[in-house]
């Protein structure tokens, strides 16, 4: 039965249209490619145990997952700075990507390590309700994602594996009879480092106490696609300022000759082509 494309239908019909299966999870992972963070964004690192429920998109046939690539580094004051990579989002050249590619090809371990550190981090964002914090409404959950070859270790990979598990998997998006997602932080502060276990609650439950509340959350959720576009534009502006501002330009000595410039989508430079697939 085809899913409806309209959103102005009865709550019962709309809720019945949502379904998320292991096949959807596999398709989302297979299709995953490169894609400002404000108050209210949710990161598992901030919790010892985090229980969330995915809020399905307004369009039942759309994917809830949104991909983004961001560079992180510490500024001169020791604070973290991040920006959306224009190269990974096909909005232009990125000095940090050029520098990272060169360093990662170095035979010197310290330089190679720095190259990986400069590379863009891949993240998957999905709208959720945090259990116990429902009064804060729908918020974006940020999950680590593969930046290269999939290894099954990132938060997103662990989540899709939990959804698709033959015995314990299930539907995390059905508003009436779906599964909550439980993310547990383990090993924090130990020599082995922090890791996360992700599993689905074994019991089906409703997204919200009432259909009306569920629909309010669904239709009032943040527009992550629009946010991604704004982030990409901000990334281009940031890179332009990086090139113009001499301290940052010295930090990222990446090009010989004219400074890097933003290019229209679909017009990569020869150097971009050479380093296709960084990060």
């Amino acid at each position: 039965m085809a899913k409806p494309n309209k959103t102005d239908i009865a709550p019962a019909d709309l809720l019945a249209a949502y379904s998320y299966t292991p096949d959807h999870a596999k398709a989302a992972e297979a299709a995953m490619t490169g894609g400002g963070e404000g108050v209210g964004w949710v990161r598992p690192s901030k919790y010892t145990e985090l229980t969330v429920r995915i809020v399905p998109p307004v369009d039942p046939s759309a994917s809830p997952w949104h991909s983004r690539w961001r560079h992180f580094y510490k500024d001169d004051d020791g604070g973290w700075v991040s920006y959306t990579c224009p190269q990974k989002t096909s909005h232009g050249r990125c000095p940090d990507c050029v520098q990272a590619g060169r360093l990662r090809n170095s035979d010197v371990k310290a330089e190679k390590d720095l190259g990986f550190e400069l590379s863009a981090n891949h993240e998957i964002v999905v709208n959720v309700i945090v259990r116990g914090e429902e009064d804060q409404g729908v918020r974006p959950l940020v999950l680590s994602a593969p930046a290269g070859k999939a290894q099954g270790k990132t938060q997103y990979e662990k989540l899709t594996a939990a959804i698709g598990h033959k015995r314990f998997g299930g539907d995390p998006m059905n508003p009436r009879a779906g599964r909550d997602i439980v993310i547990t932080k383990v090993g924090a502060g130990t020599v082995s480092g922090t890791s996360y276990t992700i599993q689905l609650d074994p019991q089906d439950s409703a997204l919200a106490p009432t259909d009306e509340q569920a629909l309010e959350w669904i239709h009032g959720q943040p527009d992550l696609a629009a946010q991604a576009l704004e982030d990409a534009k901000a990334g281009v502006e940031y890179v332009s300022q990086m090139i113009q501002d001499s301290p940052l330009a010295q930090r990222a000595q990446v090009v010989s000759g004219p400074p890097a410039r933003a290019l229209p989508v679909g017009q990569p430079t020869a150097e971009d082509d050479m380093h296709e697939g960084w990060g």
Side-chain angles (χ1 to χ4, degrees):
M1 176 177 170
K3 294 182 178 179
N5 292 320
K6 301 292 185 180
T7 59
D8 55 347
I9 55 181
D13 295 333
L14 181 60
L15 291 172
Y18 290 105
S19 177
Y20 198 72
T21 68
D23 288 338
H24 288 99
K26 292 177 182 178
E29 188 168 9
M32 185 177 60
T33 59
E37 187 162 315
V39 176
W41 291 58
V42 180
R43 285 185 176 274
S45 60
K46 303 297 183 183
Y47 299 79
T48 301
E49 183 172 286
L50 172 66
T51 301
V52 301
R53 179 63 162 270
I54 294 177
V55 177
V58 174
D59 178 357
S61 64
S63 171
W65 315 107
H66 295 264
S67 180
R68 70 179 196 167
W69 295 83
R70 296 179 70 80
H71 290 280
F72 293 83
Y73 67 90
K74 286 189 176 181
D75 60 19
D76 294 336
D77 297 324
W80 283 102
V81 176
S82 70
Y83 68 94
T84 295
C85 176
Q87 181 164 307
K88 287 291 190 180
T89 54
S90 302
H91 285 80
R93 294 180 66 188
C94 174
D96 275 339
C97 278
V98 177
Q99 180 75 318
R102 289 176 174 173
L103 289 171
R104 285 168 55 177
N105 288 326
S106 172
D107 294 328
V108 180
K109 184 179 185 303
E111 292 182 353
K112 186 182 291 289
D113 291 344
L114 179 59
F116 281 102
E117 184 178 334
L118 281 175
S119 299
N121 289 354
H122 190 195
E123 298 174 328
I124 294 293
V125 185
V126 60
N127 281 324
V128 300
I129 286 292
V130 177
R131 295 307 192 195
E133 300 177 8
E134 286 89 347
D135 60 324
Q136 298 188 39
V138 183
R139 292 182 284 167
L141 171 68
V142 184
L143 301 171
S144 62
K149 182 179 179 180
Q151 296 180 329
K153 298 179 180 180
T154 66
Q155 294 162 354
Y156 175 73
E157 290 175 295
K158 290 180 178 180
L159 174 55
T160 55
I163 293 171
H165 195 281
K166 289 183 178 179
R167 289 185 59 194
F168 305 112
D171 181 354
M173 287 208 309
N174 188 302
R176 280 205 175 127
R179 302 284 186 86
D180 286 353
I181 298 163
V182 182
I183 305 174
T184 305
K185 180 166 60 176
V186 296
T190 65
V191 175
S192 59
T194 303
S195 62
Y196 298 87
T197 61
I198 301 179
Q199 57 189 1
L200 301 188
D201 189 302
Q203 299 297 321
D204 288 343
S205 62
L207 168 65
T210 66
D211 286 356
E212 289 72 21
Q213 178 65 80
L215 287 171
E216 181 179 333
W217 282 342
I218 291 171
H219 288 283
Q221 64 186 289
D223 187 338
L224 296 181
Q227 180 68 52
L229 181 58
E230 290 301 314
D231 288 348
K233 291 178 180 178
V236 172
E237 293 174 1
Y238 182 85
V239 167
S240 298
Q241 184 61 38
M242 179 194 300
I243 295 168
Q244 296 172 17
D245 191 316
S246 56
L248 288 177
Q250 292 171 8
R251 180 183 70 81
Q253 291 288 335
V254 296
V255 290
S256 57
R261 65 188 185 283
L263 297 176
V265 175
Q267 296 185 27
T269 65
E271 192 165 33
D272 293 333
D273 292 336
M274 184 191 313
H275 298 290
E276 180 69 26
W278 290 341

